[in-house]
Amino acid sequence: MILTSAVTGAGLASFREAFPLVQPADLEGTWWHAHNDFVELLATTGLVGGLVMATGLIVLLTALARRLRTARRSEDVAPVAAACGALAAVLLHSWVD
């Protein structure tokens, strides 16, 4: 039996097993995952997982901004631009999926 909690969630990768416990009766079908990565993370890990993810995202963005400010050559800017592009792609995909 899976225990669900708004604070700790049901556990990573448990969406398929946990969602039917709260799924409305008029919503038919088996759902393997939420189409939004952030919603699925919050659903499976709860507020604790959401705070961990937000903290990691803030640390990453802070480090990227610091590196961008201190970069003196284009070779130093390229990895930061690539990381920002990858992050933007993930955010856009999660937002519109």
Side-chain angles (χ1 to χ4, degrees):
M1 178 176 161
I2 294 179
L3 300 175
T4 58
S5 168
V7 175
T8 59
L12 281 174
S14 66
F15 187 85
R16 184 175 181 201
E17 292 82 21
F19 186 67
L21 299 175
V22 295
Q23 180 176 350
D26 60 337
L27 185 62
E28 296 179 10
T30 301
W31 300 88
W32 291 67
H33 63 88
H35 285 278
N36 185 306
D37 296 330
F38 300 112
V39 169
E40 184 167 344
L41 182 75
L42 285 172
T44 58
T45 63
L47 294 175
V48 172
L51 288 174
V52 169
M53 189 226 17
T55 302
L57 191 58
I58 289 169
V59 168
L60 175 64
L61 291 173
T62 303
L64 288 173
R66 185 180 322 119
R67 183 69 177 157
L68 193 58
R69 281 193 308 269
T70 62
R72 299 198 190 314
R73 303 175 305 153
S74 62
E75 291 87 2
D76 297 334
V77 174
V80 175
C84 289
L87 185 59
V90 168
L91 293 173
L92 180 65
H93 177 267
S94 291
W95 184 46
V96 297
D97 186 18

